[in-house]
Every structure is written in C-alpha cells, then in structure tokens.
Amino acid sequence: MISADMEGATGVTWTDDVVPGTEQWQRFRRLFTGDVNAVIAGLAEGGATDILVNEAHSSQRNVLLEDLDPRARMLTGRHKPLSMMEGIDSGVDGVVFLGYHAGAGCDGVLSHTYLPNQITGVWLDGVPASEGRLNAALAAEYGVPVLLVSGDDKTCEDAHDYAPDAATVAVKQCVSRYAAICLPPSRTSADLTAAAEEGMRLAGRGTPRTTSHHIDVEFDASHLAQAAAVIPTVEQTGVRTVGFDADTMTDAMKAFKIVTAIADGAVQGKYG
Ligand SMILES: [Zn+2]
C-alpha cells in the first residue's frame, strides 16, 4: 500500500503547489503522479503483486488516474474512516509513506500535522509526532511494516527515528518552510524506484499489537482547544492544549480526526 501525501512530492515547496484548483497544483499533480509511479515500479520489481495507492492529501483527488501505472489500483476521494491510512486493515504486507513532510511546529518544507497552521504540535505518548509517526503507529497495530518514506530531508530524519528500518528518499533539501533545493523528477524517480525495491525486503506481515495510547494536541489559539474539548474523552489540558486516551491506535486516530475537524470548523477568518 502507498499512502500518498503531496507536500513532500518532487519539486513542491509552496502553498499553491498543493492547493487543489490552482495552476501550480495542476502542474505538480503530474510530478506527484510521477513519484507514485516510480514507487509502484520499485515495489513491483521487489515482488509486490497487488499495489493499492491511497490518496492522502487535502481533497484526496490529486493523482492522475489516467497516468497511473497499470500495476496499481487507486483509492481516491475523501471521507474514509482511516483517512490517510485507509486500507491498512485489509491485510497489506507493507506501507510506503510517499510525499510526507515534517510535523507541526518543526522545520521542514510545508511542515504541519493535518491542519495547515492551527495545530502547532502533536504528541503521541509524550513524543512529538508527525503524520508519519502517527501513521506508523497505526500500521504497527495491524502488523504492517513501513517500507519506504519519501519527502524532504527533514521528513527522512524524522522517519529514521519512528521507522528505523525503512528506506528513505529525500527528493529535496529543506531551506525554509517554503523553499528547498529540488532534484528533477528524472533523478528522484530513479531514487524512488530503487528504494521501493529495497524496501520490499521488509514486506510481510508482522505480529499485530494493540496497545492503548495518549495523544496531546496544541493549537495556535485558545478557542480551538475549547471547541475540541466538547468531544467525549477529550480534555482541555491547558489554555491551548487538549489530550485524550484511547484503547487502540485506531481509536486514537479516529478521535484525532474528530479533534481536527471540530477545531477546523471553529477557525474564524483572519484571526484564526
Ligand atoms: Zn500531510
């Protein structure tokens, strides 16, 4: 399975590059699809026989199906219970985090966690958590190894900590949140294919392990924490923070999704 986010795709450095409907987005969808195809090629060369691409960015309608490598199937569109990781519970042997990015409050190209700005930090069991770390914990619950992580160099550094065995490909070097030294797709696609093939050595279902988890979320304004704290199990733990416990990582991610949805709905114009 490939969980395909867009901020960490080849060449992407700017808001318009990833905002659906913009001219730049139309351009970068092609580069993003190219990254996806490069990974599909490597997974197939490494022995994968059934590859599911799960769109994980924004409206989750970014990859160009008409250009997709025919060896893969694609799950596209929004409103999926496990969101970026929908399909992880369907018996897959490995997952690739493609086009991922650094977490909220960290240095990295287009760094964020779920919401673009309003979340300033997330902690999983007390450890600062990017989307990659959260999703790796969810994959672990189903016994699914992370095979490969791609994004900028900060994304790869993060992955070395939460998925130390996974292959990594830095398609760009972060200069600032909106600037990077980028490699052309002709180079990144070769790197992605080689790393995906290498990552396939980890494929195979491990032992599922269900454990309880605690998640803390920090917002950039107090009313967002107040809004999120109406959710049963979610408690306001500070002026701008909430926290909650969950019996499983699946439940934790579902609760986190609700927290982000309610906070997003409470954002008010310019003041946020
Ligand atoms: Zn993302």
Side-chain angles (χ1 to χ4, degrees), residues 5-7 56-57 84 99-101 112 114 131:
D5 205 354
M6 197 169 180
E7 286 88 353
H57 173 70
M84 300 180 80
Y100 272 42
H101 48 80
H112 70 283
Y114 276 71
E131 292 169 14

Side-chain angles (χ1 to χ4, degrees), residues 148-189:
L148 162 67
V149 180
S150 75
D152 69 359
D153 55 325
K154 305 291 184 188
T155 308
C156 295
E157 272 173 36
D158 182 36
H160 292 152
D161 193 55
Y162 69 72
D165 296 331
T168 56
V169 174
V171 300
K172 53 199 164 193
Q173 268 199 307
C174 174
V175 172
S176 78
R177 195 162 179 247
Y178 295 118
I181 299 168
C182 298
L183 296 171
S186 53
R187 283 183 61 180
T188 60
S189 65

Side-chain angles (χ1 to χ4, degrees), residues 7 23 26 72 97 111 123 140-141 147 191-192 222 239 252-253 269:
E7 286 88 353
E23 200 178 317
Q26 293 290 5
F97 296 163
S111 62
W123 291 261
E141 186 155 282
L147 309 180
D191 291 347
L192 288 166
S222 58
V239 176
M253 287 307 286

Side-chain angles (χ1 to χ4, degrees), residues 39-184:
V39 168
I40 293 167
L43 294 177
E45 278 163 34
T49 52
D50 185 12
I51 301 165
L52 176 68
V53 180
N54 178 29
E55 290 232 35
H57 173 70
S58 185
S59 58
Q60 298 166 16
R61 300 177 186 280
N62 307 283
V63 173
L64 296 166
L65 182 63
E66 56 271 43
D67 293 336
L68 191 70
D69 186 310
R71 288 171 288 191
R73 300 175 293 138
M74 185 168 86
L75 171 53
T76 191
R78 288 193 68 189
H79 306 303
K80 301 170 288 192
L82 294 178
S83 189
M84 300 180 80
M85 292 292 277
E86 184 67 23
I88 199 69
D89 54 349
S90 63
V92 298
D93 295 313
V95 64
V96 173
F97 296 163
L98 182 150
Y100 272 42
H101 48 80
C106 296
D107 190 20
V109 175
L110 295 170
S111 62
H112 70 283
T113 304
Y114 276 71
L115 302 183
N117 277 316
Q118 295 80 11
I119 290 176
T120 52
V122 177
W123 291 261
L124 174 63
D125 302 320
V127 178
S130 59
E131 292 169 14
R133 183 178 293 274
L134 294 169
N135 292 343
L138 185 61
E141 186 155 282
Y142 294 94
V144 180
V146 180
L147 309 180
L148 162 67
V149 180
S150 75
D152 69 359
D153 55 325
K154 305 291 184 188
T155 308
C156 295
E157 272 173 36
D158 182 36
H160 292 152
D161 193 55
Y162 69 72
D165 296 331
T168 56
V169 174
V171 300
K172 53 199 164 193
Q173 268 199 307
C174 174
V175 172
S176 78
R177 195 162 179 247
Y178 295 118
I181 299 168
C182 298
L183 296 171

Side-chain angles (χ1 to χ4, degrees), residues 217 219 228 231 234 242 244 254-264:
V217 183
F219 297 99
I231 304 163
V234 176
V242 296
F244 57 91
K254 287 179 177 174
F256 180 60
K257 193 178 169 187
I258 303 167
V259 166
T260 60
I262 289 195
D264 195 34

